[in-house]
């Protein structure tokens, strides 16, 4: 069997360490467990989930796919047949299994080619609620997902019935078109779902100062979710009834957020339910109603069906853009709490009052240089003594090994920029969490409803895991070495690039970990988005106020501008995928490969990891055509993370014409260098003679969100242009661009008596969004005059 030598070595290391989180995964039915087999068929079929027939991807003819039911102690054999026109894969989310069957194509498992069947097999050594989904491109959004329920050998909870509630989001668009829309920086999705914050609303609320603060940091505003979804689903439906549940039944609701990019608020009608499990692991039961569930998380609740009505389970998309409900039982509806939509303008106002630096780069100038600590210090939330007194005395803090103890011999930090003491203090700050460090209570008052007294912190107080407590201690032996890793979560909404420490997957090295070592990762979120981070093949401790009883999870939601620390014991082998589970963030680069640095499985020959990495660095192409009474124009762009090709052509009915072709390279988020050619007519109102020049320069996205272009052509004529677009009403935006070129006669002769010749171009206008692809526009251009017409996005 493959890697027997390495498996024996790792087992020996685990036994010597004195502690192991679990037995290491071994291929094959070595314990002769009873076999439980399923067959899954993936097909492309027309489906209707939101009022329109579109092409989806089904599992055994359904969306979602069937629930796979197992008993702890069985041996799973799952045959997946691909009857689609494209390759596919299936990942068993949260399952502890041999690396080869994890289901990430090109990393651990071969892709399933069209017409082929893949056999997945592994021992079931856990119980709880899990799920499965495709890990190929954006197929999960199209319908390749389903649930897994594993009954324990010995039941510790009393209930009468099981019910899986699989939550998801649905778009009638092709998922690749969704990603392309996000890449081009369109505001259409926020317009469509009513979450846009145009200037008129900002001014009306007295938030212009806050808006200017965001613009200064190159951000439109406080963002929550990216995509417009016409429907949110529970078990594939926007509303679903379960009338067979009888009064008095104690029902275990196994709730899975299988959405591609939507986190939900969950509420229940009737009596307060009891939360009993998170991510498949039992927790100390706690009565809890309003609960936030991040993408890819699972929560189990026990509810009692009321005697005099049916109970509503309700979900609301995190940004308030839609809901779905399930009804349990019969009779009068006991309605679940309706949660108010978040107030984005109020969020902007609160954040503007905080000492916060946003806009950390998603794309660094030197991706190979370790600048994570400098990045953390420069960006994020900065709290001085006036807002939060922190006693940095190491003894006074009494930090335990569960997330706070930092031993000198286990701290692994970059010593090239700071001395040992400075880094030690930095890491102490990195690992501080609300509630698990013993800080001055008078300086940082904690309240479950209000959060910290620090201005604006109540926005994030509901996004912690303090209500989750493991029934058993989850700590590791203090004798184990600890590898500390800081990961800043970084992103660029304008270009939709997502990364870790300013480095997307396509430019990143693997994260190397070792068997017999505890890896502690501090996530420092420097974006305005939530990021549910998922590590394949492992459970980790999420450090919270419960210290030694911090819960085990496989996915952890990291709130905006906040920190979360996890730690796990290394007792596996091979490479494992690690990523944000918002599908479009993962495809935008927020992912890594975590590697034990063991030899690659020979069965993966011919399936290089570079194929998966390339999926996150694809070229996306978009364009726009303006057809107006005074001119017509065409703009085309093809872009990946670093490279971009542009074509722009304008033709006025007065026979003025200009066209430009350029290639540009992004040095980092906001700055790129470019070169190309420009063509324009030599004489106004005449196309008899075209002038072709070579151009080169820089383009810079400035604070306050202006596009700056500085260039020079082969006639040594310098030119500068500045442009901006602002949404002033929910569907109406204004735009303008000014361009100035000077000719000092360094190449061509100037007219007699002239020291230089200038050329100025001014364009101003407005556009009204009719739909995603059509806009009514009107503009003035000093070359073409005044006119209006239709813009079409392609």
């Amino acid at each position: 069997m493959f890697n027997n030598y390495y498996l024996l070595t790792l087992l020996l290391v685990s036994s010597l360490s004195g502690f192991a989180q679990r037995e290491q995964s071994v291929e094959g039915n070595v314990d002769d467990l009873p076999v439980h087999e399923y067959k899954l068929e993936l097909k492309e079929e027309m489906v209707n989930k939101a009022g329109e027939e579109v092409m989806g991807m089904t599992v055994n003819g359904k969306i979602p796919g069937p629930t796979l039911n197992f008993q702890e102690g069985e041996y799973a054999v799952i045959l997946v047949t691909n009857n689609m026109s494209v390759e596919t894969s299936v990942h068993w989310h949260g399952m502890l299994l041999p690396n080869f069957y994890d289901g990430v194509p090109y990393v651990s498992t071969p892709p399933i080619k069209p017409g082929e069947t893949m056999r997945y097999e592994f021992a079931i050594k856990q119980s709880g609620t899990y799920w499965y989904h495709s890990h190929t491109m954006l197929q999960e959004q199209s319908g390749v997902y389903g649930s897994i329920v594993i009954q324990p050998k010995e039941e510790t909870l009393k209930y009468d019935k099981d019910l899986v509630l699989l939550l998801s989001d649905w778009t009638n668009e092709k998922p690749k078109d969704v990603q392309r829309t996000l890449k081009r920086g369109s505001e259409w999705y926020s317009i469509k779902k009513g979450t846009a914050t145009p200037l008129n609303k900002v001014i009306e609320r007295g938030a212009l100062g806050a808006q200017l603060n965001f613009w200064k940091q190159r951000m439109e505003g406080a963002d929550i979710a990216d995509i417009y979804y016409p429907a949110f689903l529970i078990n594939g439906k926007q509303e679903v009834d379960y009338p067979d549940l009888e009064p008095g039944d104690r029902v275990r609701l196994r709730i899975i957020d299988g959405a591609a990019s939507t986190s939900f608020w969950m509420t229940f009608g009737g009596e307060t339910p009891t939360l009993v499990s998170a991510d498949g692991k039992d927790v100390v039961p706690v009565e809890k109603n309003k609960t936030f569930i991040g993408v890819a998380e699972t929560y189990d609740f026990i509810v009692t069906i009321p005697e005099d009505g049916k109970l509503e389970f309700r979900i609301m998309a995190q940004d308030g853009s839609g809901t779905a409900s399930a009804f349990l039982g019969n009779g009068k509806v006991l309605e679940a709490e309706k949660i108010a939509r978040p107030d984005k303008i109020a969020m902007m106002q609160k954040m503007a009052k905080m000492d916060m630096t946003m806009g950390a780069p998603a794309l660094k100038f030197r991706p190979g240089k370790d600048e994570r600590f400098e990045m953390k210090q420069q960006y994020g939330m900065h709290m001085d003594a006036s807002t939060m007194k922190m006693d940095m005395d190491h003894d006074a803090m009494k930090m335990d090994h569960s997330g706070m103890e930092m031993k000198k011999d286990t701290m692994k930090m970059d010593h090239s920029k700071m001395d040992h003491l400075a880094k030690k203090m930095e890491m102490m700050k990195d690992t501080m969490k609300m509630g698990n460090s013993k800080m001055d209570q008078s300086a940082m008052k904690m309240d479950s409803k209000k959060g910290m007294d620090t201005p604006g912190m109540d926005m994030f107080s509901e996004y912690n895991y303090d209500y989750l407590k493991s029934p058993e201690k989850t700590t590791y032996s203090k004798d184990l070495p600890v590898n500390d890793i800081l990961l800043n979560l970084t992103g660029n909404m304008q270009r939709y690039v997502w990364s870790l420490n300013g480095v997307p997957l396509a430019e990143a090295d693997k994260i190397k970990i070792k068997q017999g070592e505890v890896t502690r990762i501090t996530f420092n979120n420097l974006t305005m988005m939530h990021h549910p981070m998922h590590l394949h093949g492992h459970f980790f401790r999420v450090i919270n106020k419960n210290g030694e009883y911090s819960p085990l999870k496989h996915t952890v939601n990291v709130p905006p501008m906040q920190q979360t620390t996890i730690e796990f014991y290394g007792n596996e082998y091979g490479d494992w995928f690690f990523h944000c589970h918002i599908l479009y963030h993962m495809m935008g680069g927020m992912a890594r490969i975590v590697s034990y640095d063991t030899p690659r499985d020979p069965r993966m020959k011919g399936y290089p990891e570079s194929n998966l990495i390339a999926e996150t660095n694809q070229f996306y192409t978009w364009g726009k055509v303006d057809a107006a009474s005074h001119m017509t124009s065409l703009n085309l762009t093809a872009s990946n993370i670093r490279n971009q090709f542009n074509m722009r052509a304008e033709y006025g009915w007065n026979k003025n014409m200009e066209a430009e072709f350029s290639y540009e390279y992004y040095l980092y988020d906001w700055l790129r260098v470019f070169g190309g050619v420009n063509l324009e007519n030599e004489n106004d109102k005449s196309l008899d003679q075209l002038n072709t020049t070579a151009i080169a320069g820089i383009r810079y996205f400035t604070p306050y969100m202006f596009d700056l272009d500085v260039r020079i052509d082969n006639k040594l004529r310098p030119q500068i242009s500045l442009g901006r677009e602002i949404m002033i009403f929910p569907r109406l935006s204004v735009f303008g661009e000014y361009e100035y070129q000077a000719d000092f006669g360094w190449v061509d002769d100037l007219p007699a008596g002239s020291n230089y010749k200038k050329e100025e171009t001014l364009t101003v206008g407005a556009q009204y969004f009719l739909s995603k692809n059509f806009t009514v526009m009107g503009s003035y251009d000093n070359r073409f005059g005044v006119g209006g017409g239709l813009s079409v996005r392609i």
Side-chain angles (χ1 to χ4, degrees), residues 379-399:
Y379 298 97
M381 199 133 31
H382 307 292
M383 297 183 184
D384 58 22
S386 65
T387 41
M388 183 170 64
K389 294 190 298 180
M390 288 186 174
D391 182 4
M392 296 305 296
D393 181 84
H394 189 80
D395 295 327
M397 291 184 68
K398 299 179 183 177
M399 297 182 287

Side-chain angles (χ1 to χ4, degrees), residues 370 372-373 405-416 418-420 423-424 426-428 430-431 480-487 511-522:
D370 183 2
R372 53 203 162 118
F373 294 105
E405 182 176 73
M406 293 291 163
K407 291 192 175 184
K408 181 178 179 180
D409 60 347
T410 61
M411 294 174 63
K412 300 183 180 180
M413 305 177 189
D414 179 4
H415 290 262
S416 61
M418 311 177 204
D419 61 24
H420 183 75
K423 289 188 177 177
K424 191 171 182 180
E426 183 65 34
M427 286 304 301
M428 288 165 65
D430 286 349
T431 53
L480 292 172
V482 178
N483 178 25
D484 279 287
I485 298 172
L486 170 63
L487 292 178
I511 295 177
K512 298 292 182 67
I513 60 176
K514 295 179 180 179
Q515 297 94 349
E517 183 174 84
V518 173
T519 298
R520 180 183 296 136
I521 300 177
T522 296

